[in-house]
Amino acid sequence: MSAEWKQNLQNYIDIAQRRYDGLADNERLLVNGVGVLIVLALVFLILIVPAKNAVSDSQLKLAGQQNLMSWMKENESIARQAGSGGGAVTKSDQPLQTIVTSTAGPMGIAVKRYENESENKLRVSLEKVPFDKMVRWLDQLESRYGLIIVNIAVDAEKEPGLVTAKLVLQN
């Protein structure tokens, strides 16, 4: 099929060449001028327009990043204050196991198993727990009770949004 296609293409080229050769000089000049205009238009449409659009998009992204940077610089002091303990964290005198069990239930988290690793470390296992609830619960343990997450391993379950997690908490 490709040999036939090449032959057809060659026939069309030959026909066009004969018609071009049969044109008067000023008609050839006109055909050449139109050809040059078509080539220039294609170059413009294929190369220049996409390049201009890319530059415009890049300038918009840069402006957005600059706005973000200036916002971050304006709010740096607030973030540093919050990160350095601007909120009130109360270290609890309660045993880790008591803190975990008393906070997990109200957050809708069922603790599968827990075991003391040392005096101030507790290993906790969770199964099929909603990820967002687990994150809120861990945030509460850190921010309200001053607990530290020493180690965490999270695996996704087959059901969307549920996870199994093993973590080590420390006072």
Side-chain angles (χ1 to χ4, degrees):
M1 184 91 160
S2 69
E4 182 181 329
W5 183 80
K6 287 181 183 179
Q7 183 61 39
N8 285 339
L9 181 62
Q10 187 61 43
N11 289 342
Y12 287 121
I13 291 173
D14 290 342
I15 292 170
Q17 183 69 41
R18 277 183 278 176
R19 289 188 87 177
Y20 180 78
D21 290 341
L23 295 175
D25 288 340
N26 51 347
E27 289 174 334
R28 279 189 195 167
L29 187 60
L30 183 64
V31 169
N32 289 340
V34 169
V36 168
L37 286 176
I38 289 173
V39 168
L40 290 175
L42 287 174
V43 166
F44 181 76
L45 292 173
I46 293 173
L47 298 176
I48 296 174
V49 169
K52 278 184 85 174
N53 290 343
V55 168
S56 177
D57 290 346
S58 296
Q59 288 173 338
L60 286 173
K61 285 180 184 177
L62 176 63
Q65 292 295 326
Q66 287 173 336
N67 288 340
L68 177 62
M69 181 65 125
S70 65
W71 178 85
M72 289 172 75
K73 284 182 180 179
E74 289 171 6
N75 293 299
E76 178 183 14
S77 61
I78 296 169
R80 286 191 188 275
Q81 185 179 25
S84 66
V89 175
T90 55
K91 281 260 187 181
S92 178
D93 292 336
Q94 297 176 344
L96 277 171
Q97 187 173 342
T98 305
I99 295 170
V100 168
T101 55
S102 66
T103 58
M107 294 291 287
I109 295 176
V111 176
K112 178 73 174 176
R113 183 177 56 190
Y114 46 85
E115 56 186 82
N116 288 321
E117 198 169 271
S118 68
E119 185 178 307
N120 63 346
K121 286 186 182 177
L122 181 69
R123 182 177 301 274
V124 179
S125 297
L126 309 172
E127 283 188 12
K128 295 187 179 181
V129 176
F131 179 76
D132 55 341
K133 286 185 180 182
M134 181 188 72
V135 170
R136 279 188 251 134
W137 176 61
L138 292 175
D139 179 57
Q140 180 186 36
L141 291 177
E142 281 186 339
S143 61
R144 288 191 188 164
Y145 298 97
L147 299 185
I148 298 169
I149 301 168
V150 176
N151 190 359
I152 186 167
V154 180
D155 295 316
E157 289 290 326
K158 289 182 181 177
E159 298 109 38
L162 296 182
V163 295
T164 295
K166 296 180 191 311
L167 49 126
V168 177
L169 300 171
Q170 179 179 348
N171 250 349

